[in-house]
């Protein structure tokens, strides 16, 4: 046990989960009620030959999940704000959705979250932030952190990714690297690279608005459970959602031009 602990390297980058560590070629993460569903999904992805997700190794002697460590880099930096990087994230998300085909959408046990009203089409990742995409050799290579995965529409997962990657956010809340970007052009680029059909493009901004309202309530509920969610809420996550929704309302017409 002591030998194991000595070789634990804390991994930071996510805001939420305390105690994520690297041990050799593995990652150890705390489990939750949703972990069995997530492991079933990751095993399905492995069987489908999808390379862009960690593999489940098991559970360690401390009750933590053991996943494979995926080499590469996570987090926001200049190299992941390029058009090529954005197109790569869109392609990775499309391939992930494709690989979930055949996974039973009726399976329960996922972490609750905001969602689309339309019937689910795929199991979505639902948290495609820069901290949750591994880049390797300059390309978006893998998704990690499937704690929020749940059945949803493809478009809902696209909207969630665009919230962070376009980004759909008030400039006052954006990382400096994301401030000068042409958000409308990036919405279009992402949709083109993913292959979002015209009908879904026309619904994208409306769904983004719906998601903001629902996410605010979900985040507030999660914050009441304490831990990382409470920390995020105390640091203004709710206010950032409110400002992002207001920014979207103000800019909706100019963004819409890119989605017709
Ligand atoms: N399987 C993995 N391979 C490589 N890095 C990982 C892996 N899992 C987590 N990490 C690293 O640890 C960070 C935090 O882990 P994550 O699972 O995203 O937790 P959180 O719930 O806090 O976001 C990630 O941003 C990433 O840098
Ligand atoms: Mg994370």
């Amino acid at each position: 046990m002591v030998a194991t602990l000595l070789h634990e390297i804390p991994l930071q980058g996510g805001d939420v989960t305390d105690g994520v560590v690297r041990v050799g070629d593995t990652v150890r993460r705390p489990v939750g009620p949703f972990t069995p569903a997530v492991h079933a999904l990751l095993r399905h992805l492995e069987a489908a030959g999808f390379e862009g997700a960690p593999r489940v190794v098991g559970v360690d002697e401390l009750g933590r999940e053991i996943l494979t460590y995926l080499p590469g880099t996570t987090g926001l930096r200049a190299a992941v704000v390029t058009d090529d990087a954005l197109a790569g994230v869109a392609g990775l998300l499309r391939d992930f959705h494709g690989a979930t085909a055949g996974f039973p959408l009726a399976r329960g046990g996922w972490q609750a979250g905001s969602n689309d009203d339309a019937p689910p089409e795929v199991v979505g990742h639902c948290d495609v932030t820069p901290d949750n995409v591994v880049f390797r050799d300059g390309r978006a290579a893998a998704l990690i952190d499937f704690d929020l995965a749940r059945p949803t529409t493809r478009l809902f997962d696209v909207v969630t990714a665009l919230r962070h990657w376009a980004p759909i956010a008030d400039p006052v809340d954006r990382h400096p690297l994301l401030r000068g970007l042409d958000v409308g052009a990036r919405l279009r680029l992402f949709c083109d690279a993913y292959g979002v059909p015209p009908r879904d493009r026309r619904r994208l901004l409306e769904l983004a608005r719906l998601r903001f309202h629902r996410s605010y309530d979900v985040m507030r509920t999660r914050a009441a459970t304490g831990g990382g969610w409470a920390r995020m809420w105390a640091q203004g996550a709710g206010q950032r959602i409110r400002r992002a929704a207001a920014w979207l309302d103000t800019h909706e017409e100019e963004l819409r031009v890119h989605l017709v």
Side-chain angles (χ1 to χ4, degrees):
M1 179 79 77
V2 172
T4 305
L5 291 173
L6 283 176
H7 291 95
E8 298 203 347
I9 304 163
L11 292 173
Q12 269 130 19
D15 292 318
V16 170
T17 313
D18 294 323
V20 180
V21 296
R22 177 175 175 181
V23 180
D25 291 334
T26 72
V27 169
R28 314 293 171 103
R29 302 176 80 259
V31 295
F34 45 83
T35 302
V38 171
H39 284 187
L41 174 65
L42 294 179
R43 291 197 166 102
H44 174 94
L45 295 175
E46 179 174 11
F50 179 67
E51 299 283 345
R55 304 299 185 218
V56 180
V57 179
V59 174
D60 74 8
E61 67 280 10
L62 298 179
R64 302 174 298 188
E65 66 173 346
I66 311 174
L67 305 175
T68 54
Y69 177 85
L70 302 177
T73 317
T74 59
L76 193 56
R77 59 209 182 278
V80 306
V81 178
T82 64
D83 286 355
D84 278 356
L86 185 69
V89 173
L92 177 63
L93 188 64
R94 178 202 56 220
D95 292 348
F96 160 63
H97 288 162
T100 71
F103 189 88
L105 292 175
R107 190 194 204 288
W110 309 101
Q111 184 153 195
S114 58
N115 219 325
D116 203 343
D117 289 325
E121 301 161 337
V122 294
V123 178
H125 180 282
C126 298
D127 197 19
V128 182
T129 64
D131 284 334
N132 289 338
V133 178
V134 176
F135 277 78
R136 194 181 307 136
D137 303 325
R139 286 201 55 255
L143 298 169
I144 55 170
D145 189 0
F146 286 73
D147 286 359
L148 295 182
R150 55 187 180 267
T152 189
T153 58
R154 288 168 171 268
L155 186 63
F156 188 86
D157 219 11
V158 165
V159 164
T160 303
L162 286 170
R163 158 78 171 120
H164 303 283
W165 286 92
I168 306 175
D170 188 316
V172 301
D173 294 317
R174 289 186 209 166
H175 186 285
L177 285 171
L178 298 173
R179 267 183 209 143
L181 298 174
D182 183 341
V183 173
R186 286 170 66 83
L187 296 179
R188 185 201 297 263
L189 178 73
F190 194 99
C191 287
D192 288 348
Y194 181 101
V196 175
R199 193 190 55 239
D200 275 353
R201 291 185 199 218
R202 288 194 293 273
R203 204 166 73 85
L204 194 151
L205 298 177
E206 177 195 324
L207 185 57
R209 191 181 316 106
L210 180 74
R211 181 182 169 278
F212 279 137
H213 291 304
R214 293 183 175 172
S215 295
Y216 183 91
D217 292 339
V218 166
M219 294 271 293
R220 192 174 48 187
T221 305
R222 284 192 191 133
T225 66
W229 293 113
R231 204 162 54 229
M232 279 176 74
W233 192 258
Q235 289 164 359
Q239 291 314 309
R240 282 194 293 279
I241 294 174
R242 290 282 196 243
R243 281 191 293 269
W247 181 86
L248 176 58
D249 284 345
T250 305
H251 295 273
E252 179 148 1
E253 289 317 311
E254 66 204 65
L255 297 177
R256 186 175 303 286
V257 172
H258 295 271
L259 295 167
V260 290

